[in-house]
Amino acid sequence: MPRPIVATIHVDSMKHNLARAKANAPGAKAWGVLKANGYGHGLERAMRGFADADGLALVEVDYAVRLREMGWNKPILLLEGYFDPADLETMADYGLQAAVHCNEQLEWLEAAQADLSARGVQFDLHLKMNSGMNRLGFMPDAYAAAHARLSAMSCVGSITMITHFANADDAEHPLLPIAEQVRRFELGTAGLAGSRSLSNSAGVLMHQKTLRNDWIRPGIMLYGGSPGGATAESFGLQPCMTLSSEIIGIQNIVAGDVVGYGSRFQAEGPMRIGVVACGYADGYPRSAPMGTPALVDGVRTRLVGRVSMDMLTVDLTDLPSARVGSKVTLWGQGMPIDEVATAAGTIGYELMCALAQRVPVVEG
Ligand SMILES: *Cc1c(COP(=O)(O)O)cnc(C)c1O
């Protein structure tokens, strides 16, 4: 028997969540964001789950090529653009769209444009504005000039105007509220014609009434994770990854006994400790503290002691029927990944993406 840990991917829930995103942005087209191996769910599964998307968006050029090879024939967008001039060839060969966020990317394109145009290549590009996040993009006052440089090239087809929000889950953010990023975006794009794309999941879920998008870019919500602000369930989302395992050992301990590395947990009375075949080498966060929730046979209990590489320990004292072989749900259906993430001081995104290679994946 293989080690009992397994990740179950719920492809139908991806379809459900995509429909939620589309319902929240009537009239807008939707990119299904599936960077990072579909946020850990598998590229091919995400491609199937997002079959109804108008396009797929990611950052990995090789994965974009794989999407084409697997038969995706709608648009594909490289969210970080091309990383060197050679990527322009890949874009031409596989019909990829790309973000353009810096002068270097403009220069590579200008250098290649005569050759590209001669071959009849036209790229649909997405000019990115840095509206305050200070990650990628042109400053608002440099945006129109970059737009003009793109427009002047015959190898450029459509130009979509895009930006990315730092705090779409926190409208009242004291330093960079979403309204301020929108203000800068409007300023920088004033007078420019073309499609617009602003909203990530938080924008789609919390600001759909105020943001005008021709294309939305939901990611985390499609996998049933919350982008913040409220629970995934309250947004009508369904989890797409359930990480489960089994109890593989039980220890009956008494007051004063300690559990795990560092002996960080000491029993105050008699306890039953369940040992679960799941550890940080499976992608479970080592930072998950005592008290982090988990389900045993569908009943909520808590972690005790430190997470180790291949095992973690849970409190079975109030679960007398639990035994070796009892099913444990670490996150997913019945146990929101965001609750586990919050307990561990991180976000659901990171847990999904960190699912380890050694964990077998099934669909269900
Ligand atoms: C990852 C990403 C998204 C999706 O963000 P979520 O918070 O997962 O919805 C959207 N746009 C860009 C540019 C991204 O890199």
Side-chain angles (χ1 to χ4, degrees):
M1 175 180 165
R3 191 162 163 264
I5 190 167
V6 63
T8 307
I9 305 299
H10 317 297
V11 175
D12 286 347
S13 295
M14 294 183 187
K15 293 183 199 286
H16 166 90
N17 295 335
L18 176 66
R20 296 284 321 157
K22 291 189 123 182
N24 261 37
K29 293 186 174 180
W31 295 105
V33 178
L34 44 55
K35 58 196 179 191
N37 195 31
Y39 287 46
H41 295 65
L43 190 71
E44 191 272 339
R45 285 180 211 99
M47 183 182 95
R48 262 188 289 129
F50 308 151
D52 294 335
D54 300 287
L56 297 175
L58 72 177
V59 298
E60 303 88 352
V61 181
D62 52 343
Y63 277 25
V65 169
R66 266 176 56 195
L67 287 170
R68 282 283 180 249
E69 289 171 350
M70 291 189 296
W72 182 264
N73 49 31
K74 288 188 269 187
I76 296 176
L77 165 57
L78 296 170
L79 291 164
E80 292 178 342
Y82 36 99
F83 301 99
D84 68 8
D87 286 341
L88 292 168
E89 287 304 312
T90 310
M91 286 169 55
D93 289 346
Y94 291 90
L96 309 178
Q97 305 185 20
V100 175
H101 61 77
C102 64
N103 278 318
E104 288 76 3
Q105 289 177 326
L106 285 175
E107 286 159 15
W108 298 332
L109 195 58
E110 282 163 346
Q113 67 157 322
D115 178 53
L116 290 165
S117 298
R119 289 153 50 199
V121 174
Q122 274 220 323
F123 292 133
D124 291 325
L125 298 174
H126 302 254
L127 186 60
K128 184 145 193 179
M129 187 190 297
N130 171 10
S131 57
M133 190 169 183
N134 289 315
R135 224 170 45 171
L136 299 180
F138 293 90
M139 290 292 186
D141 62 2
Y143 193 80
H147 195 280
R149 277 173 74 181
L150 278 185
S151 301
M153 290 185 246
S154 52
C155 64
V156 175
S158 66
I159 305 172
T160 302
M161 298 175 281
I162 73 172
T163 195
H164 194 62
F165 295 130
N167 304 305
D169 57 329
D170 180 8
E172 307 301 320
H173 195 281
L175 300 179
L176 190 64
I178 187 169
E180 173 59 15
Q181 286 197 262
V182 172
R183 191 188 69 81
R184 295 183 195 180
F185 184 75
E186 300 297 352
L187 207 66
T189 60
L192 299 175
S195 298
R196 308 154 40 111
S197 176
L198 297 91
S199 294
N200 54 5
S201 296
V204 169
L205 290 167
M206 286 174 259
H207 304 277
Q208 76 273 25
K209 296 221 167 58
T210 50
L211 296 174
R212 192 165 65 74
N213 279 282
D214 297 290
W215 284 82
I216 54 171
R217 303 191 309 270
I220 191 72
M221 70 173 292
L222 303 184
Y223 305 95
S226 170
T231 65
E233 191 182 10
S234 71
F235 289 128
L237 305 173
Q238 298 175 354
C240 298
M241 176 194 289
T242 299
L243 180 64
S244 52
S245 186
E246 291 180 7
I247 301 283
I248 59 167
I250 293 180
Q251 301 294 343
N252 292 292
I253 62 174
V254 298
D257 283 349
V258 291
V259 178
Y261 286 120
S263 302
R264 295 278 282 255
F265 176 78
Q266 186 169 34
E268 288 176 357
M271 286 183 79
R272 272 178 100 217
I273 301 294
V275 182
V276 182
C278 176
Y280 60 78
D282 299 300
Y284 194 92
R286 183 175 177 278
S287 55
M290 203 130 65
T292 301
L295 301 182
V296 176
D297 284 336
V299 180
R300 191 177 266 255
T301 182
R302 59 178 182 132
L303 263 62
V304 291
R306 265 191 184 150
V307 174
S308 49
M309 183 183 284
D310 310 310
M311 285 172 268
L312 56 80
T313 37
V314 295
D315 183 358
L316 300 182
T317 311
D318 295 330
L319 294 167
S321 61
R323 52 178 177 82
V324 167
S326 284
K327 190 171 174 199
V328 180
T329 304
L330 284 321
W331 63 65
Q333 289 179 348
M335 175 50 62
I337 193 168
D338 297 308
E339 260 190 69
V340 179
T342 301
T346 183
I347 52 178
Y349 297 69
E350 189 179 16
L351 301 190
M352 292 175 188
C353 294
L355 182 73
Q357 197 79 47
R358 80 171 182 185
V359 177
V361 177
V362 300
E363 291 181 24

